[in-house]
Amino acid sequence: MRTRLALDIGTTSIGWILYGLVDGLPAQILDGGVRIFSDGREAKTGQSLAVGRRTARGMRRRRDRYLRRRAVLMKRLAAMGLMPQSPDEAAELTGLDPYALRAEGLDRALPLDHLGRALFHLNQRRGFKSNRRTDKGNNEGGLIAEATARLDMAIMASGARTYGEFLHRRRQRAEDPRAVPAVRTRINPHLPGEDGKEQSGYDFYPDRKHLEDEFRKLWSAQARFHPELTEDLRDLLQETIFHQRPLKAPAIGRCLFQNEPRLAKAHPLTQRRTLYETVNMLRVMAPGQPKRRLTRDERDRIVHALDNRKILAAPGKNVLTLAAIGKEIKLRPGESFSLETANRDAIAADPVRMSLAYPARFGASWSTLGIDDQWALIERLRDEQDGEALVDWIVARYGFDRERARAIADAPLPEGFGRIGLTATRAILHYLKEGTPAEPVPTYNEAVAACGWDHSQLGSGEVLDRLPYYGQVLDRHVLPGSGKPEDDEITRFGRITNPTVHIGLGQVRRLVNKVIEVHGRPWEIVVELARDLKMSEDQKRDLAKTNAQNQRAAESRSQKLIEELKQQDTGRNRALLRIWEESSTDVMHRFCPYTGAQISATMLFDGSCDIDHILPYSRTLDDSFANRVVCLKSANREKRNLTPWEAWGNTPKWPAIEANLKNLPKEKAWRFQPDAMVRYEGERDFTARALVDTQYLSRLAREYLECLYAEDMTPGEDGKARRPIWVVAGKLTELLRRHWGLNGLTTDAHRDTTKAKN
């Protein structure tokens, strides 16, 4: 008997059932169950369990490296005569004041062992060394940079020649020198800001350069009194004290089509491919006419317009609206683009080009560089860890002044990597630009096919009897492993960085292999994309109560639409009416939140209003009513894919917008704040995050399971080649349950949820 295995894959469980087929239809249940497991995350924070282990491991490593560096320094100081050979005699030097030695050593001769004590103290407090790669977007790094600038000003004002002399003078002025902070202070919430208001930060914070400069000056001063202090000894000690390991380069995944690393998103070719993909997807539609593709001439004019638009400082504003694009290619009256919706009415220009061609950075000369020259600069911007070294390189390479070089060094660029490598990118981009024999303006999938590749056939073609470790099959999705046969399979083949997905695929392997062991390989496997995770009993009761209230309100709106407003009773109309009613309890205070214009009930349906997501849906996937408002269509188009603050926060329009917030419910008003996106990302509950993980896990599970059937394309009952792996959406299951009348047999929230739509 042929069998079918059905899998419902979640982030903490896999439900499964195996049943027999007769004439392709289910006939007998053979086995089933649920496999439950941990998702590898902290229950409260949702962080990977590996984060805590990695943090503790990092602290141990830093401590071990410090101890090794200190031991090596002591040996070298002793060998040079700068430290006693006897540990007991060396310990007696701890009674000396190292700050006084560091200051006095600039002017008078110190005994060699006293100089060694001062140098040893520099090793103990060698200052903060900034790293461009780790400090990006790091608030702590910003606080340290501000405190370092304050320290520079304080040293200059005190007349001190070195950081050590500055500290020594501070300690001399204090009643109790032990109470004077020597390295950094704690966060001070009362520092004066530029606008006169108090702000939090460090009083001062030494940089590595302060200590390196002091080391050189102290050594130079003492070398005048001690000829044995040679430059070679200086260089050796400086390397011992101040050397810091560069960050390990991250592992890069493999291209989907070629055995080569994936290309960075910041690579100019990646951005050109993305731009042509997006523009090539545009479709022109007109009433009563089928959608049509762009002509080659229209496409090229759009790309030219995007490349030559005025560059704005705000990256999110470097877009061209579809209305402007329509004018560029002279669309006829009544024609529009199929992508033009309330949430997508613009196309972004090449972000790398817009960032580096900004006049205050590289300027118009950016376009005169070849692709290889552009990438040489971008790669340096991405990988260089020393900010000052990068500025020096830009000045020497391109002849810019230091201010402009710093602007280039700080240019925002896309992070991460794409899914294909250099060879595939060049080939696909060629077809996207030049067209294929079948289409002059092809889509991405058509360009991939023209290159001879197929997304659905990425496996090796080998049919396996059992599922191996997923890293052997999904090698395009994992970070590369060691490749050494003696290592364990995870180290050898690599792993997916998402812990939930890593654990989930391992559980799929165990379950499917056990089914194969007991019942043989299934004829077909059906994988369902997970619905929302199960709720607790309290959540179910709360949801049932809310759904009942929503149901009564929806019935009331339906009646109002038909009897009072003479509008169709549709889901969209009910949503419009609900959002409008929720904007204020007073009908006279229902305004467009972005313009302040009053919105009447009749305006909802005359085409002048839109439903807008306050925090962009494309960035939050939040389609809740709390994230939706009714606004004028013109305001919605001006806002684009931005938050209200990003669109108008620093413009004269913001005070009027802020004044309207008092009319909005609190769950909507907070989304207008400058930190709304940060707050949203911090408040996303576990369910939303787990659902995203589950969908990704399900897609990978399909590709993983196909290795059992890679070439098993035996004709099915209808004579056509069959696909042994099916993937169905959880929504389909819900629809079938409702259609078959099974919802009445359950007590969960799905029954009430379907009744309370809109």
Side-chain angles (χ1 to χ4, degrees):
M1 177 184 293
R2 292 176 175 175
T3 58
R4 180 181 294 160
L5 175 64
L7 301 174
D8 184 353
I9 303 175
T11 57
T12 58
S13 65
I14 302 176
W16 65 279
I17 187 169
L18 182 75
Y19 50 89
L21 300 174
V22 175
D23 296 330
L25 298 176
Q28 178 184 0
I29 295 178
L30 302 176
D31 206 346
V34 177
R35 186 175 183 89
I36 300 174
F37 47 88
S38 168
D39 66 348
R41 296 182 183 273
E42 294 281 356
K44 290 184 178 180
T45 65
Q47 273 192 335
S48 168
L49 295 174
V51 172
R53 297 194 296 268
R54 184 167 60 246
T55 301
R57 185 167 60 248
M59 294 174 65
R60 292 195 300 270
R61 285 178 176 174
R62 285 192 295 272
R63 177 66 178 172
D64 290 343
R65 288 169 183 167
Y66 163 72
L67 293 176
R68 288 197 299 269
R69 187 178 73 247
R70 187 177 68 179
V72 170
L73 178 62
M74 286 293 291
K75 289 181 179 179
R76 291 179 176 174
L77 288 174
M80 296 175 187
L82 297 175
M83 192 67 67
Q85 295 286 348
S86 168
D88 293 336
E89 293 179 7
E92 292 178 1
L93 295 176
T94 58
L96 300 174
D97 183 355
Y99 299 100
L101 296 177
R102 288 165 59 179
E104 294 170 3
L106 297 174
D107 300 308
R108 68 176 181 85
L110 297 177
L112 287 179
D113 55 351
H114 289 195
L115 173 61
R117 174 68 180 98
L119 297 180
F120 182 83
H121 192 250
L122 290 180
N123 176 70
Q124 305 294 92
R125 308 284 189 268
R126 63 178 189 162
F128 171 77
K129 184 173 183 179
S130 175
N131 187 295
R132 293 181 63 254
R133 284 167 51 186
T134 57
D135 292 346
K136 286 182 179 178
N138 185 348
N139 185 54
E140 176 71 5
L143 293 177
I144 291 175
E146 293 174 0
T148 299
R150 279 194 287 272
L151 175 60
D152 287 333
M153 298 298 294
I155 292 176
M156 186 181 302
S158 69
R161 291 163 290 179
T162 65
Y163 175 57
E165 187 176 26
F166 166 75
L167 292 176
H168 180 58
R169 292 180 179 180
R170 274 180 103 228
R171 291 164 61 85
Q172 284 184 318
R173 292 193 300 268
E175 294 182 4
D176 182 5
R178 293 173 297 179
V180 178
V183 181
R184 68 181 184 193
T185 62
R186 299 187 180 192
I187 288 289
N188 184 348
H190 305 298
L191 292 175
E194 294 181 359
D195 55 359
K197 297 181 179 179
E198 292 184 345
Q199 63 179 20
S200 297
Y202 295 109
D203 289 332
F204 68 90
Y205 208 118
D207 191 273
R208 182 73 52 85
K209 65 181 182 181
H210 292 109
L211 281 300
E212 288 179 323
D213 178 67
E214 180 177 352
F215 173 87
R216 289 190 293 268
K217 289 181 178 179
L218 183 59
W219 186 277
S220 177
Q222 291 301 305
R224 297 197 305 268
F225 305 109
H226 303 284
E228 61 270 32
L229 300 180
T230 64
E231 292 185 359
D232 290 339
L233 295 181
R234 180 200 63 193
D235 294 341
L236 179 60
L237 288 183
Q238 185 169 2
E239 174 74 10
T240 304
I241 296 174
F242 297 110
H243 172 72
Q244 183 164 306
R245 290 176 175 85
L247 289 179
K248 183 180 179 181
I252 303 173
R254 311 305 292 175
C255 170
L256 290 177
F257 307 114
Q258 299 287 304
N259 187 24
E260 61 182 3
R262 296 179 177 184
L263 209 57
K265 291 182 180 179
H267 197 291
L269 289 178
T270 300
Q271 292 301 324
R272 298 311 289 173
R273 177 179 60 78
T274 302
L275 180 63
Y276 274 91
E277 282 178 30
T278 305
V279 177
N280 284 11
M281 284 296 295
L282 285 173
R283 297 292 180 266
V284 178
M285 60 183 184
Q289 299 292 327
K291 297 178 183 178
R292 70 169 178 86
R293 300 185 185 222
L294 298 173
T295 65
R296 174 80 69 82
D297 179 65
E298 289 174 333
R299 192 275 312 276
D300 291 344
R301 282 155 55 189
I302 293 173
V303 171
H304 182 269
L306 285 165
D307 286 343
N308 291 276
R309 63 161 282 110
K310 182 180 178 181
I311 302 175
L312 302 176
K317 296 184 180 296
N318 287 312
V319 299
L320 200 61
T321 65
L322 294 182
I325 292 174
K327 294 179 181 178
E328 187 69 30
I329 64 173
K330 296 180 173 56
L331 286 183
R332 297 174 182 175
E335 289 184 331
S336 61
F337 292 111
S338 60
L339 288 181
E340 191 166 8
T341 66
N343 295 312
R344 175 68 180 274
D345 65 347
I347 294 179
D350 180 342
V352 174
R353 179 189 179 93
M354 295 294 106
S355 178
L356 289 170
Y358 185 66
R361 298 181 187 126
F362 215 96
S365 58
W366 174 254
S367 301
T368 64
L369 297 179
I371 293 295
D372 293 339
D373 291 333
Q374 289 181 348
W375 175 238
L377 172 61
I378 294 170
E379 190 173 27
R380 195 69 177 253
L381 296 180
R382 284 168 46 86
D383 298 339
E384 179 60 63
Q385 300 179 22
D386 190 327
E388 287 303 311
L390 176 60
V391 171
D392 293 339
W393 180 82
I394 294 174
V395 170
R397 177 76 176 266
Y398 301 103
F400 295 130
D401 58 61
R402 297 191 69 82
E403 181 178 356
R404 193 167 180 182
R406 285 195 177 90
I408 294 173
D410 295 335
L413 295 171
E415 298 287 343
F417 295 85
R419 301 188 66 189
I420 59 179
L422 179 60
T423 302
T425 297
R426 289 186 185 276
I428 294 171
L429 178 59
H430 169 74
Y431 281 107
L432 288 171
K433 293 173 66 175
E434 304 301 327
T436 66
E439 289 293 345
V441 182
T443 63
Y444 168 76
N445 289 337
E446 292 166 346
V448 170
C451 294
W453 300 313
D454 185 354
H455 277 291
S456 62
Q457 299 292 333
L458 295 178
S460 64
E462 180 183 1
V463 179
L464 305 176
D465 295 327
R466 296 169 62 85
L467 285 176
Y469 170 61
Y470 73 81
Q472 296 177 245
V473 180
L474 304 176
D475 57 329
R476 305 299 187 195
H477 296 276
V478 303
L479 293 178
S482 67
K484 299 178 180 178
E486 64 270 18
D487 289 338
D488 63 87
E489 57 186 13
I490 296 178
T491 305
R492 178 184 177 187
F493 296 106
R495 59 174 291 171
I496 291 174
T497 55
N498 186 314
T500 304
V501 176
H502 172 73
I503 294 172
L505 289 178
Q507 295 296 327
V508 168
R509 176 190 181 187
R510 292 178 175 85
L511 174 59
V512 172
N513 284 345
K514 189 64 177 179
V515 170
I516 293 174
E517 178 184 331
V518 176
H519 300 283
R521 187 176 64 176
W523 173 250
E524 295 169 341
I525 299 179
V526 181
V527 180
E528 178 181 330
L529 295 176
R531 300 181 298 273
D532 289 330
L533 300 179
K534 300 295 182 181
M535 298 181 178
S536 67
E537 292 301 320
D538 290 339
Q539 290 173 319
K540 291 177 182 178
R541 284 193 293 269
D542 292 341
L543 183 62
K545 181 179 178 180
T546 301
N547 285 339
Q549 295 173 346
N550 290 343
Q551 178 67 19
R552 291 191 294 270
E555 292 171 352
S556 175
R557 294 188 191 97
S558 296
Q559 184 177 2
K560 184 174 183 178
L561 283 168
I562 297 172
E563 298 179 1
E564 297 182 24
L565 301 175
K566 310 301 181 184
Q567 299 293 327
Q568 291 183 339
D569 181 19
T570 64
R572 184 180 186 279
N573 286 349
R574 289 195 299 273
L576 267 170
L577 190 57
R578 173 179 173 175
I579 297 169
W580 177 72
E581 291 175 347
E582 289 177 347
S583 64
S584 176
T585 55
D586 185 353
V587 69
M588 300 303 296
H589 289 85
R590 292 173 182 170
F591 305 118
C592 168
Y594 308 135
T595 65
Q598 187 174 9
I599 297 178
S600 64
T602 56
M603 291 175 63
L604 298 176
F605 311 103
D606 65 6
S608 59
C609 295
D610 267 344
I611 295 177
D612 176 59
H613 292 83
I614 306 171
L615 300 181
Y617 178 76
S618 62
R619 296 162 61 185
T620 62
L621 298 181
D622 183 4
D623 196 36
S624 65
F625 281 96
N627 193 40
R628 289 190 278 177
V629 292
V630 174
C631 66
L632 296 184
K633 183 172 291 187
S634 57
N636 188 20
R637 292 179 181 274
E638 183 180 353
K639 178 173 176 281
R640 298 189 300 276
N641 194 36
L642 303 171
T643 68
W645 177 261
E646 290 171 348
W648 298 292
N650 294 311
T651 71
K653 294 184 179 181
W654 184 252
I657 295 175
E658 196 170 27
N660 290 329
L661 296 183
K662 62 179 182 294
N663 298 311
L664 288 177
K666 292 182 179 179
E667 64 269 23
K668 296 178 187 281
W670 71 263
R671 299 168 191 261
F672 285 70
Q673 301 304 318
D675 62 344
M677 283 299 300
V678 175
R679 178 177 172 184
Y680 172 81
E681 292 173 356
E683 290 187 353
R684 276 188 299 183
D685 60 12
F686 173 75
T687 302
R689 181 177 60 252
L691 186 60
V692 172
D693 285 339
T694 305
Q695 292 170 340
Y696 176 45
L697 172 58
S698 299
R699 294 196 301 272
L700 291 183
R702 176 192 172 188
E703 186 175 337
Y704 185 26
L705 293 168
E706 282 181 344
C707 72
L708 298 172
Y709 307 87
E711 294 180 350
D712 188 2
M713 302 301 288
T714 307
E717 303 295 336
D718 57 359
K720 298 181 180 179
R722 69 186 185 92
R723 299 296 300 181
I725 309 296
W726 301 356
V727 177
V728 298
K731 179 65 175 178
L732 178 61
T733 305
E734 192 276 326
L735 291 174
L736 289 174
R737 287 201 319 175
R738 181 151 36 111
H739 179 72
W740 291 337
L742 299 179
N743 284 335
L745 303 178
T746 64
T747 58
D748 60 57
H750 291 289
R751 175 180 57 197
D752 298 313
T753 302
T754 57
K755 294 168 66 177
K757 293 287 184 181
N758 301 313

